[in-house]
Structure formats: C-alpha cells, structure tokens
Coordinates of all heavy atoms in Angstrom, one line a residue:
M37 N 63.6 90.8 99.8 CA 64.0 92.0 100.6 C 64.9 91.7 101.7 O 65.9 92.4 102.0 CB 62.7 92.7 101.1 CG 63.0 94.0 101.9 SD 63.6 95.3 100.8 CE 63.8 96.6 102.0
R38 N 64.6 90.5 102.4 CA 65.4 90.1 103.5 C 66.8 89.8 103.1 O 67.8 90.2 103.8 CB 64.8 88.9 104.2 CG 65.5 88.4 105.4 CD 64.7 87.3 106.2 NE 64.6 86.2 105.3 CZ 63.8 85.2 105.6 NH1 63.1 85.2 106.7 NH2 63.6 84.1 104.7
Y39 N 67.0 89.1 101.9 CA 68.3 88.8 101.4 C 69.1 90.1 101.0 O 70.3 90.2 101.2 CB 68.2 87.8 100.3 CG 67.7 86.5 100.7 CD1 66.4 86.1 100.3 CD2 68.4 85.6 101.5 CE1 65.8 84.9 100.7 CE2 67.9 84.4 101.9 CZ 66.6 84.0 101.5 OH 66.1 82.8 101.9
T40 N 68.4 91.0 100.4 CA 69.0 92.3 100.1 C 69.5 93.0 101.3 O 70.7 93.6 101.3 CB 68.0 93.2 99.3 OG1 67.5 92.5 98.2 CG2 68.6 94.5 98.8
L41 N 68.7 93.0 102.4 CA 69.1 93.7 103.6 C 70.4 93.0 104.2 O 71.3 93.7 104.6 CB 68.0 93.7 104.6 CG 68.3 94.4 106.0 CD1 68.7 95.8 105.8 CD2 67.1 94.3 106.9
L42 N 70.4 91.7 104.2 CA 71.5 90.9 104.7 C 72.8 91.2 103.9 O 73.9 91.4 104.4 CB 71.2 89.4 104.6 CG 72.3 88.5 105.1 CD1 72.6 88.8 106.6 CD2 71.9 87.0 105.0
L43 N 72.6 91.3 102.5 CA 73.8 91.6 101.7 C 74.3 93.0 102.0 O 75.5 93.3 102.1 CB 73.4 91.5 100.2 CG 74.5 91.8 99.2 CD1 75.6 90.9 99.3 CD2 73.9 91.8 97.8
L44 N 73.4 94.0 102.2 CA 73.9 95.4 102.5 C 74.6 95.4 103.9 O 75.6 96.1 104.0 CB 72.7 96.3 102.6 CG 72.0 96.6 101.2 CD1 70.7 97.4 101.4 CD2 73.0 97.4 100.4
L45 N 74.1 94.6 104.8 CA 74.8 94.6 106.1 C 76.2 94.0 106.0 O 77.1 94.5 106.6 CB 73.9 93.7 107.1 CG 72.6 94.4 107.6 CD1 71.9 93.4 108.4 CD2 73.0 95.6 108.5
L46 N 76.3 92.9 105.2 CA 77.6 92.3 105.0 C 78.6 93.3 104.3 O 79.8 93.4 104.7 CB 77.5 91.0 104.2 CG 76.9 89.8 104.9 CD1 76.6 88.7 103.9 CD2 77.8 89.3 106.0
V47 N 78.1 94.0 103.3 CA 79.0 94.9 102.6 C 79.4 96.1 103.5 O 80.5 96.5 103.6 CB 78.2 95.5 101.4 CG1 79.0 96.7 100.8 CG2 78.0 94.4 100.3
S48 N 78.4 96.5 104.4 CA 78.7 97.5 105.4 C 79.8 97.1 106.3 O 80.7 97.9 106.7 CB 77.5 98.0 106.1 OG 77.8 98.9 107.1
A49 N 79.7 95.8 106.8 CA 80.7 95.3 107.7 C 82.1 95.2 107.2 O 83.0 95.5 107.9 CB 80.2 93.9 108.2
V50 N 82.2 94.8 105.9 CA 83.6 94.6 105.4 C 84.0 95.8 104.6 O 85.2 95.9 104.2 CB 83.6 93.3 104.5 CG1 83.2 92.1 105.3 CG2 82.7 93.5 103.2
G51 N 83.2 96.7 104.3 CA 83.5 97.8 103.4 C 84.7 98.6 103.8 O 85.6 98.8 103.0
P52 N 84.8 99.0 105.1 CA 86.0 99.8 105.5 C 87.3 99.1 105.3 O 88.3 99.7 105.2 CB 85.7 100.0 107.0 CG 84.2 99.9 107.2 CD 83.8 98.9 106.2
A53 N 87.3 97.8 105.3 CA 88.6 97.1 105.1 C 88.9 96.9 103.7 O 90.1 96.7 103.3 CB 88.4 95.6 105.7
V54 N 88.0 97.1 102.8 CA 88.2 97.0 101.3 C 89.1 98.1 100.9 O 88.9 99.3 101.1 CB 87.0 97.0 100.5 CG1 87.3 97.0 99.0 CG2 86.1 95.8 100.9
G55 N 90.2 97.8 100.3 CA 91.2 98.8 99.8 C 92.1 99.3 100.8 O 93.0 100.2 100.5
R56 N 92.0 98.9 102.0 CA 92.9 99.4 103.1 C 94.3 98.8 102.9 O 94.4 97.6 102.8 CB 92.3 99.0 104.5 CG 93.2 99.4 105.6 CD 92.7 99.0 107.0 NE 91.4 99.7 107.2 CZ 90.6 99.4 108.2 NH1 91.0 98.4 109.1 NH2 89.5 100.0 108.5
A57 N 95.2 99.7 102.8 CA 96.6 99.3 102.6 C 97.2 98.6 103.8 O 96.9 98.9 105.0 CB 97.5 100.5 102.3
E58 N 98.0 97.6 103.6 CA 98.7 96.9 104.7 C 99.7 97.9 105.3 O 100.3 98.7 104.6 CB 99.4 95.7 104.1 CG 98.5 94.5 103.7 CD 98.1 93.8 104.9 OE1 98.9 93.6 105.9 OE2 96.9 93.3 104.9
P59 N 99.9 97.9 106.6 CA 100.9 98.7 107.2 C 102.3 98.4 106.6 O 102.6 97.2 106.2 CB 100.9 98.3 108.7 CG 99.5 97.7 108.9 CD 99.2 97.0 107.6
L60 N 103.1 99.4 106.6 CA 104.5 99.1 106.1 C 105.3 98.3 107.1 O 105.3 98.7 108.3 CB 105.2 100.4 105.9 CG 104.7 101.5 104.9 CD1 105.5 102.8 105.0 CD2 104.7 100.9 103.5
R61 N 105.8 97.2 106.7 CA 106.6 96.4 107.6 C 108.0 96.9 107.6 O 108.7 97.0 106.6 CB 106.6 94.9 107.2 CG 107.5 94.1 108.2 CD 107.4 92.6 107.9 NE 106.0 92.1 108.1 CZ 105.7 90.8 108.0 NH1 106.6 89.9 107.5 NH2 104.4 90.4 108.2
V62 N 108.4 97.3 108.8 CA 109.7 98.0 109.0 C 110.5 97.2 110.1 O 110.0 97.0 111.2 CB 109.6 99.4 109.4 CG1 111.0 100.1 109.6 CG2 108.8 100.2 108.3
F63 N 111.7 96.8 109.8 CA 112.6 96.2 110.8 C 113.6 97.3 111.3 O 114.1 98.1 110.4 CB 113.3 95.0 110.2 CG 112.7 93.7 110.5 CD1 111.7 93.2 109.6 CD2 112.9 92.9 111.6 CE1 111.1 92.0 109.8 CE2 112.3 91.7 111.8 CZ 111.4 91.2 110.9
A64 N 113.9 97.3 112.5 CA 114.9 98.2 113.1 C 115.9 97.3 113.8 O 115.6 96.2 114.3 CB 114.2 99.2 114.1
S65 N 117.1 97.8 113.9 CA 118.2 97.1 114.6 C 117.8 96.7 116.0 O 117.9 95.5 116.4 CB 119.5 97.9 114.7 OG 119.9 98.3 113.4
V66 N 117.4 97.7 116.8 CA 117.1 97.4 118.2 C 115.8 98.1 118.7 O 115.2 98.9 117.9 CB 118.3 98.0 119.1 CG1 119.6 97.2 118.8 CG2 118.5 99.5 118.7
V67 N 115.4 97.7 119.9 CA 114.1 98.2 120.3 C 113.9 99.7 120.4 O 112.9 100.2 120.0 CB 113.8 97.5 121.7 CG1 112.6 98.1 122.4 CG2 113.6 96.0 121.5
P68 N 114.9 100.5 120.9 CA 114.7 101.9 120.9 C 114.5 102.5 119.5 O 113.7 103.5 119.4 CB 116.0 102.5 121.6 CG 116.5 101.3 122.4 CD 116.2 100.1 121.6
I69 N 115.1 102.0 118.5 CA 114.9 102.5 117.1 C 113.5 102.1 116.7 O 112.8 102.8 116.0 CB 116.0 102.0 116.2 CG1 117.4 102.4 116.7 CG2 115.8 102.5 114.8 CD1 117.6 103.9 116.7
R70 N 113.1 100.9 117.0 CA 111.7 100.4 116.7 C 110.7 101.4 117.3 O 109.7 101.8 116.7 CB 111.5 99.0 117.2 CG 110.1 98.5 116.9 CD 109.7 97.3 117.7 NE 109.5 97.6 119.1 CZ 109.4 96.8 120.1 NH1 109.4 95.5 119.8 NH2 109.2 97.2 121.3
T71 N 111.0 101.8 118.6 CA 110.1 102.7 119.2 C 109.9 104.0 118.4 O 108.8 104.6 118.3 CB 110.6 103.0 120.7 OG1 110.6 101.8 121.4 CG2 109.7 104.1 121.4
C72 N 111.1 104.5 118.0 CA 111.0 105.8 117.1 C 110.2 105.6 115.9 O 109.4 106.4 115.5 CB 112.5 106.1 116.8 SG 112.6 107.8 116.0
V73 N 110.4 104.4 115.2 CA 109.6 104.1 114.0 C 108.1 104.1 114.3 O 107.3 104.6 113.6 CB 110.1 102.8 113.4 CG1 109.2 102.4 112.2 CG2 111.5 102.9 112.9
E74 N 107.8 103.4 115.4 CA 106.4 103.3 115.8 C 105.8 104.7 116.1 O 104.6 105.0 115.7 CB 106.3 102.5 117.1 CG 106.5 101.0 116.9 CD 106.6 100.2 118.1 OE1 106.9 100.8 119.2 OE2 106.3 99.0 118.1
R75 N 106.6 105.5 116.8 CA 106.0 106.9 117.1 C 105.8 107.7 115.9 O 104.8 108.5 115.8 CB 107.0 107.6 118.1 CG 107.1 107.0 119.5 CD 105.7 106.9 120.2 NE 105.0 108.2 120.2 CZ 105.2 109.1 121.1 NH1 106.0 108.9 122.2 NH2 104.6 110.3 121.1
V76 N 106.6 107.6 114.9 CA 106.5 108.4 113.7 C 105.5 107.7 112.7 O 104.6 108.4 112.2 CB 107.8 108.6 113.0 CG1 107.6 109.3 111.6 CG2 108.8 109.3 113.9
G77 N 105.5 106.4 112.6 CA 104.7 105.7 111.6 C 103.3 105.5 112.1 O 102.3 105.4 111.3
G78 N 103.1 105.4 113.4 CA 101.8 105.1 114.0 C 101.1 103.9 113.4 O 101.8 102.9 113.2
E79 N 99.9 103.9 113.1 CA 99.1 102.8 112.7 C 99.5 102.4 111.2 O 99.1 101.2 110.8 CB 97.6 103.1 112.7 CG 97.2 104.2 111.7 CD 95.7 104.5 111.7 OE1 95.0 103.7 112.4 OE2 95.3 105.5 111.1
H80 N 100.3 103.1 110.6 CA 100.7 102.8 109.2 C 101.9 102.0 109.1 O 102.4 101.7 108.0 CB 100.8 104.1 108.4 CG 99.6 105.0 108.5 ND1 98.4 104.6 108.1 CD2 99.5 106.3 108.9 CE1 97.5 105.6 108.3 NE2 98.2 106.6 108.8
V81 N 102.5 101.6 110.2 CA 103.7 100.7 110.2 C 103.5 99.5 111.1 O 102.8 99.5 112.1 CB 105.0 101.5 110.6 CG1 105.3 102.7 109.7 CG2 104.9 101.9 112.1
D82 N 104.1 98.5 110.7 CA 104.3 97.2 111.5 C 105.8 97.1 111.8 O 106.6 96.6 111.0 CB 103.8 96.0 110.6 CG 104.2 94.7 111.3 OD1 104.6 94.7 112.5 OD2 104.1 93.7 110.6
A83 N 106.2 97.8 112.9 CA 107.5 97.9 113.3 C 108.0 96.7 114.1 O 107.3 96.3 115.1 CB 107.8 99.3 114.0

C-alpha cells in the first residue's frame, strides 16, 4: 500500500508536464520585435 501511494504521488507530481508542448522558439531581429512576440505569444513562445 505504501509503495502504491508513493507511485501515485510521483505520477501526480509529473502528470501535468506529461504531454505539455514545448514553447515555440521564435527569433526576432531586434529586442522591440521580440517584445511584441512575447506579448502575443505569452507562455507559449520562447522568444
């Protein structure tokens, strides 16, 4: 029972990361354009 509970805790801890898509890596010429990409893309981009 103790091992089963430990396994459930581990699955719960990593579960949200499973299947999570990597942010879109986007390069911009200059910093102000990067800022625009960040504002539109939010957490879904690596600008």
Side-chain angles (χ1 to χ4, degrees):
M37 180 67 179
R38 184 172 58 188
Y39 295 110
T40 302
L41 180 60
L42 179 60
L43 180 61
L44 287 172
L45 288 172
L46 287 170
V47 170
S48 176
V50 302
V54 175
R56 179 180 294 171
E58 288 281 325
L60 300 174
R61 180 173 294 179
V62 179
F63 268 86
S65 299
V66 290
V67 170
I69 302 297
R70 182 197 68 189
T71 298
C72 189
V73 173
E74 288 173 335
R75 292 301 308 272
V76 175
E79 64 180 351
H80 306 303
V81 299
D82 168 15

